[in-house]
Amino acid sequence: MEPVNVREYEALAREAMHPAAWAYVSAGSGDETTMRNNDAAFGQLEIMPRVLRGVGSASLSTTVLGAVVEHPILISPMGVHGLAHPDGECATVRAAGNAGTLMAVSTASSRSLEEISASATGPLWFQLYVYRSRQFAERLVRRAESAGYRAIVLTVDSPRWGRKERSMRVAETLPPELDYSSLDDEDLPEEEFEPAALTWDDVDWLRSLTDLPLVLKGILHPDDAALAVEHGVTGILVSNHGGRQLDGVPASIEALSNVVDAVGGRAEVYLDGGIRRGTDVLKALALGAKAVFVGRPILWGLAANGEAGARHVLELLRDELEAAMVLAGQPDVATLDPDLVMRRH
Ligand SMILES: Cc1cc2nc3c(=O)[nH]c(=O)nc-3n(C[C@H](O)[C@H](O)[C@H](O)COP(=O)(O)O)c2cc1C
């Protein structure tokens, strides 16, 4: 039977995937406290609905950095979709286009960024890891520009990789799909692909390198959000990397409001981490996110049923969001406000 919610895809994906690939996708770092909290923290927030407003349907369409999307549920950048399905990111990007949304494409994709953009019908952003070789980063930015990507998403929470224990146990048995086609034609020694400890100077450097808008992904502290705006960043993705980097940091939804306040409308703010229900999306939007990104559930859909599965995951979240808005008396994603959300006592 076709899943009726996103969580049901998790079990299907687990059955469909190689055990080592499943470990890699499902892992968080350390005790996985942050990963669990990303999800659980949404349960600590309650929606206070309004009634008798004549709201029989809701408008979900919005823009992100000027790109029109049919709904504010976008796809987080994730490496190696090839672990979930042989068509990898090419299937995911078709699902994104058919669901009327935007996908952020990872530096660590199993398909080249050009191949992915050739399969796309909707807008794409390129997620950049700046490794030790800055020349490599510059070449990737140029390739993303020529392939029509509309923004650079610099991931800033990864000066080294988090310790994902599920993955450490099975690393040597990872299937061969785990190679990164984007990096194929890059003739660099292995150590150049190690993460780099970036500074705000690197952000300035990236800003000077390209006219594409810059989004910083992995901000939790409001002071970092304010600094990001001072450094010319146009988007901030509040994220703890799905609990895969530093364990023990706040759930993304817990960090959102302070970031929104610090930014004060000077940049767009997005959130990812733990989005599993349309009501999660509603809460994040009410607390000031312009849009949310979804990570693992997309790979669950992809593993369970390829392009159609990834698309269905997006459609389930979209339909749940629309229903939740109607039931809460909210006609439009643009007019949600924080009064809609209460903390459970
Ligand atoms: C398998 C996997 C691979 C990921 N790869 C990347 C990546 O290459 N770059 C990046 O910035 N974030 C990466 N992330 C983090 C996601 O962009 C996102 O922050 C996180 O998955 C959101 O949480 P969720 O999975 O609970 O929705 C990855 C996450 C997963 C699960």
Side-chain angles (χ1 to χ4, degrees):
M1 217 178 69
E2 195 175 52
V4 296
N5 66 47
V6 165
R7 291 186 199 280
E8 289 179 4
Y9 270 104
E10 183 172 9
L12 295 180
R14 183 181 195 144
E15 280 165 32
M17 285 175 83
H18 184 290
W22 174 252
Y24 175 71
V25 168
S26 57
S29 58
D31 287 320
E32 303 187 335
T33 311
T34 294
M35 182 175 81
R36 278 192 304 280
N37 286 349
N38 271 347
D39 190 337
F42 282 106
Q44 295 303 312
L45 299 174
E46 293 173 330
I47 299 164
M48 183 53 84
R50 300 301 306 268
V51 297
L52 297 174
R53 289 177 152 194
V55 177
S57 65
S59 164
L60 302 186
S61 174
T62 188
T63 60
V64 278
L65 298 179
V68 178
V69 282
E70 286 176 25
H71 53 77
I73 304 160
L74 322 180
I75 302 182
S76 285
M78 288 177 291
V80 279
H81 293 204
L83 289 176
H85 191 274
D87 295 343
E89 291 80 6
C90 293
T92 321
V93 82
R94 287 193 299 268
N98 287 326
T101 194
L102 174 152
M103 170 166 158
V105 171
S106 165
T107 295
S109 292
S110 356
R111 300 298 186 95
S112 75
L113 64 88
E114 290 83 6
E115 246 185 304
I116 300 167
S117 70
S119 301
T121 53
L124 295 179
W125 291 355
F126 183 73
Q127 177 266 328
L128 181 68
Y129 278 133
V130 173
Y131 300 123
R132 295 202 183 148
S133 164
R134 303 299 198 266
Q135 293 87 334
F136 171 59
E138 178 165 359
R139 283 201 296 278
L140 281 179
V141 169
R142 297 289 169 246
R143 285 172 59 187
E145 285 172 334
S146 339
Y149 286 74
R150 307 216 193 154
I152 300 294
V153 180
L154 176 67
T155 299
V156 295
D157 60 12
S158 305
R160 68 174 59 169
W161 304 125
R163 292 172 64 84
K164 300 186 278 295
E165 295 177 7
R166 294 193 211 204
S167 209
M168 286 159 81
R169 287 191 200 99
V170 294
E172 61 284 4
T173 62
L174 263 179
E177 296 89 308
L178 196 72
D179 51 48
Y180 306 132
S181 291
S182 296
L183 319 181
D184 270 358
D185 55 343
E186 301 291 345
D187 190 18
L188 282 174
E190 191 95 329
E191 61 271 16
E192 294 291 343
F193 291 113
E194 290 298 312
L198 305 180
T199 69
W200 291 104
D201 288 343
D202 292 297
V203 173
D204 294 340
W205 166 75
L206 199 55
R207 269 262 42 87
S208 69
L209 203 67
T210 177
D211 290 334
L212 288 177
L214 182 60
V215 176
L216 296 191
K217 172 174 185 282
I219 297 242
L220 294 170
H221 200 297
D223 292 353
D224 283 336
L227 279 168
V229 173
E230 284 163 30
H231 285 267
V233 162
T234 38
I236 291 172
L237 176 40
V238 174
S239 171
N240 51 39
H241 218 110
R244 292 163 75 84
Q245 286 297 105
L246 179 60
D247 190 35
V249 305
S252 314
I253 191 69
E254 295 287 353
L256 178 63
S257 297
N258 287 341
V259 168
V260 168
D261 288 348
V263 168
R266 294 173 293 161
E268 293 187 355
V269 178
Y270 322 105
L271 169 138
D272 78 13
I275 298 279
R276 303 292 180 264
R277 283 287 185 186
T279 45
D280 300 338
V281 183
L282 181 62
K283 290 169 187 176
L285 298 178
L287 294 177
K290 175 89 169 150
V292 301
F293 287 77
V294 179
R296 293 178 186 84
I298 299 296
L299 296 182
W300 300 342
L302 193 64
N305 196 20
E307 177 189 339
R311 178 179 177 173
H312 190 219
V313 162
L314 289 163
E315 289 169 348
L316 284 167
L317 290 170
R318 177 202 63 197
D319 291 351
E320 288 179 1
L321 172 63
E322 207 262 345
M325 289 186 53
V326 168
L327 292 170
Q330 307 293 325
D332 194 323
V333 287
T335 55
L336 297 171
D337 75 68
D339 288 347
L340 188 63
V341 173
M342 287 176 31
R343 179 158 299 282
R344 185 199 285 275
H345 299 296

